Amino acid sequence: MLLKTRPQHPIASSSITPEQIYWQRREFLAAASGALLTSMGLGLDSAWAASSKAYPELPQVKPNPSFQDAELKKKLTRFEDISSYNNFYEFGFDKDEPKKNSQNLKTKPWTVKVHGLVDKPGSYLLEDFIKPYALEDRIYRFRCVEAWSMVVPWVGFPLRLLLDQAKPTSKAKFVTFKTLYDPTQMPMQMSRSLDWPYTEALRLDEAMHDLSFLAVGVYGRILPNQNGAPLRLVVPWKYGYKSIKSIVSIELTAERPKTTWELKAPDEYPFYSNVLPEVSHPRWSQKTERILGSGFFSKRQETLPYNGYEAEVASLYKEFDRRKLY
Ligand code: MTE
């Protein structure tokens, strides 16, 4: 996390924002007919973002109308910024290192194990793991504990659907996620900088909330490795470190596990990690955030309680003192 201060990511040169093109393209794809679609589709593709073309498009992704807020759509972060300013410590501690160092991560075949306190445990190849679910496109705010933020059109499905299939037993209280452990592919796992494999967890009711999302893509295409391919969690009302990448294990447990950042610095990165602007990090304020890609001197924006999802999630915590929920 913010162990050192980092320079701002350079402002990209393109005058056409990928997000505009993305939405034009989506609307167009929905409306256009065969031949026209092919010819114009290619044109838009090339204008969209050269770097994104490296990533195959996911088939049959439908925008979920409940998560297509018009205001957020206008604020979508450029694909280039989402995929080049990353935290993925298995590949390095600088923001540009995950992109440089993760390109050889082998994401196929990829096995995900669902186990622990469930009636239906299983080990699945990724393609079988996602097969039962309709992939949807959801635009979410994303807020890093380091006080930068972005707006991302994720592709995936609600975690709740997977849990419904796995059938947690009555003893299950937490869902624990682990990233692949393979130091030959993830070089920083050879260091003792963090307790590997990266581990995160949610209370079962948090995991069952409709907003908790398993993502396999972004901007309609498969996830870049640096963003957590082939499968990551997205929990938009919590700081970004809860959104664990490159998941291989989902385990239902009775006890609350120790999470990676909690083990490293419990006062700075505790279990709940809900975005609460009034609760400062011990070393910096959480009242405002820098918008990724907006330039170093741009005005910061105010951080919203629960990152803008208060109406949806506050009831999960009604018996708690909010300040203890950070
Ligand atoms: N997952 C793993 N396995 N390793 C990591 O280092 N970093 C976390 C989270 N998930 C991390 C991880 C942090 S600190 C953030 S802010 C987000 O991923 C960043 O996601 P992004 O790079 O897609 O923006």
Side-chain angles (χ1 to χ4, degrees):
M1 218 78 55
L2 204 59
L3 302 172
K4 292 190 236 163
T5 313
R6 300 285 173 215
Q8 168 78 357
H9 184 68
I11 303 165
S13 55
S14 168
S15 58
I16 303 168
T17 63
E19 54 270 27
Q20 281 168 337
I21 300 293
Y22 173 73
W23 291 110
Q24 284 168 14
R25 189 162 165 272
R26 286 253 127 173
E27 277 149 29
F28 168 77
L29 287 175
S33 66
L36 185 64
L37 186 147
T38 315
S39 60
M40 281 189 71
L42 285 175
L44 289 167
D45 247 347
S46 56
W48 180 45
S51 57
S52 71
K53 286 180 79 179
Y55 304 100
E57 214 163 317
L58 285 157
Q60 293 168 347
V61 179
K62 293 216 172 70
N64 181 326
S66 304
F67 299 98
Q68 306 294 323
D69 181 271
E71 287 309 302
L72 277 189
K73 255 188 207 183
K74 288 187 209 149
K75 295 179 187 164
L76 279 170
T77 304
R78 296 165 50 92
F79 176 84
E80 286 85 344
D81 291 315
I82 294 172
S83 60
S84 61
Y85 185 94
N86 300 102
N87 280 334
F88 201 166
Y89 294 112
E90 287 85 337
F91 294 104
F93 283 83
D94 283 327
K95 297 289 188 259
D96 59 347
E97 284 179 317
K99 181 173 179 182
K100 275 194 293 203
N101 300 339
S102 69
Q103 295 315 309
N104 292 330
L105 174 68
K106 202 169 169 231
T107 56
K108 204 169 177 176
W110 189 271
T111 306
V112 186
K113 196 172 161 194
V114 182
H115 58 125
L117 301 173
V118 288
D119 286 341
K120 293 197 174 161
S123 214
Y124 308 91
L125 279 176
L126 186 79
E127 41 281 31
D128 300 327
F129 179 82
I130 65 175
K131 207 180 276 165
Y133 313 105
L135 294 182
E136 50 180 82
D137 185 317
R138 292 187 176 196
I139 301 172
Y140 278 171
R141 293 181 202 86
F142 186 98
R143 171 62 155 79
C144 178
V145 72
E146 296 161 352
W148 53 265
S149 70
M150 54 184 181
V151 178
V152 185
W154 300 108
V155 176
F157 58 91
L159 170 61
R160 149 180 76 74
L161 298 182
L162 170 82
L163 295 172
D164 284 344
Q165 293 250 10
K167 300 203 185 313
T169 69
S170 57
K171 292 199 174 114
K173 297 285 178 285
F174 294 90
V175 188
T176 303
F177 305 84
K178 286 191 197 305
T179 295
L180 175 72
Y181 179 71
D182 183 355
T184 63
Q185 295 201 74
M186 296 179 153
M188 290 308 286
Q189 288 179 336
M190 280 186 251
S191 82
R192 295 216 185 128
S193 46
L194 289 173
D195 198 70
W196 311 110
Y198 195 102
T199 300
E200 257 309 335
L202 297 171
R203 246 172 37 193
L204 181 56
D205 59 340
E206 295 178 319
M208 291 296 287
H209 194 285
D210 183 53
L211 285 171
S212 297
F213 200 60
L214 283 172
V216 293
V218 63
Y219 273 114
R221 295 172 181 260
I222 65 162
L223 280 173
N225 287 354
Q226 59 271 27
N227 292 97
L231 178 75
R232 74 173 294 172
L233 182 67
V234 183
V235 193
W237 73 94
K238 291 178 179 281
Y239 289 118
Y241 57 92
K242 299 294 287 183
S243 293
I244 181 173
K245 298 177 170 182
S246 304
I247 296 169
V248 293
S249 163
I250 301 176
E251 182 181 6
L252 281 283
T253 58
E255 303 300 323
R256 186 169 114 180
K258 286 277 183 213
T259 56
T260 295
W261 282 101
E262 198 187 3
L263 283 169
K264 179 84 182 168
D267 299 342
E268 303 198 12
Y269 312 113
F271 178 82
Y272 276 100
S273 305
N274 292 327
V275 177
L276 293 171
E278 75 272 27
V279 185
S280 296
H281 182 278
R283 289 185 281 142
W284 60 86
S285 162
Q286 294 291 22
K287 286 202 170 71
T288 64
E289 62 205 35
R290 175 174 65 84
I291 303 166
L292 194 61
S294 66
F296 195 64
F297 296 108
S298 303
K299 203 168 161 283
R300 295 170 72 88
Q301 74 181 11
E302 285 194 8
T303 291
L304 300 170
Y306 297 98
N307 200 25
Y309 300 98
E310 184 170 21
E312 291 90 334
V313 301
S315 63
L316 288 172
Y317 310 108
K318 51 182 184 296
E319 74 274 30
F320 286 83
D321 172 355
R322 249 163 92 120
R323 287 172 172 271
K324 300 217 174 87
L325 286 171
Y326 158 60

